[in-house]
Structure formats: structure tokens, C-alpha cells
Amino acid sequence: MSSARHQIDPRTLEILVCPLTKTRLSLSDSGDELLSAVARVAFPIRDGVPLLCIEEVRDLSDEEIARISR
């Protein structure tokens, strides 16, 4: 499980893109996932390291998509 002590540097977040769609990612409210609204998936962040692997992806619910698409 991720710790709130591990955070993604904002400059790093600016250059990371979704490996599926090549679109920007956003940080989840909890700070433990990177979200791709276009691909409708979340990538985990473990110990401060984003895991942008297809094997690690979690599908986002319609409610989560609506929240991040605002």
C-alpha cells in the first residue's frame, strides 16, 4: 500500500503520459494513483513510484471519470 509520505514531484507529473493513450495523467485525490480519463484507468503509485504497466491498471468507475473530467 502507498504511503502519503511518498509524493510525485509536480514536474514529473507534467511529463508523464498514459502509456495507452499518450494523454496527460492526473493525480488521484488520495495521491496513490495516476488517473487517465481518456483510457478510463488508474495506475498505482507505490513507494512514490508510478507503475505505468498494463498489468497494474485498475478500471475507473463512471463516477470517478465524471469527477476527474470536471
Side-chain angles (χ1 to χ4, degrees):
M1 186 67 56
S2 294
S3 168
R5 292 182 308 240
H6 298 286
Q7 295 184 349
I8 296 287
D9 182 316
R11 293 173 296 188
T12 301
L13 186 56
E14 289 177 13
I15 62 171
L16 289 176
V17 296
C18 173
L20 300 170
T21 64
K22 308 301 185 242
T23 56
R24 291 195 71 166
L25 296 166
S26 59
L27 190 61
S28 66
D29 291 339
S30 62
D32 63 353
E33 292 180 309
L34 290 174
L35 310 174
S36 173
V38 175
R40 302 177 63 91
V41 296
F43 297 93
I45 300 171
R46 294 199 187 116
D47 296 325
V49 178
L51 300 177
L52 301 178
C53 306
I54 304 306
E55 296 82 20
E56 299 290 334
V57 76
R58 175 181 72 82
D59 291 329
L60 294 173
S61 68
D62 291 337
E63 293 80 22
E64 289 173 306
I65 294 296
R67 194 173 335 122
I68 63 174
S69 296
R70 291 185 211 162

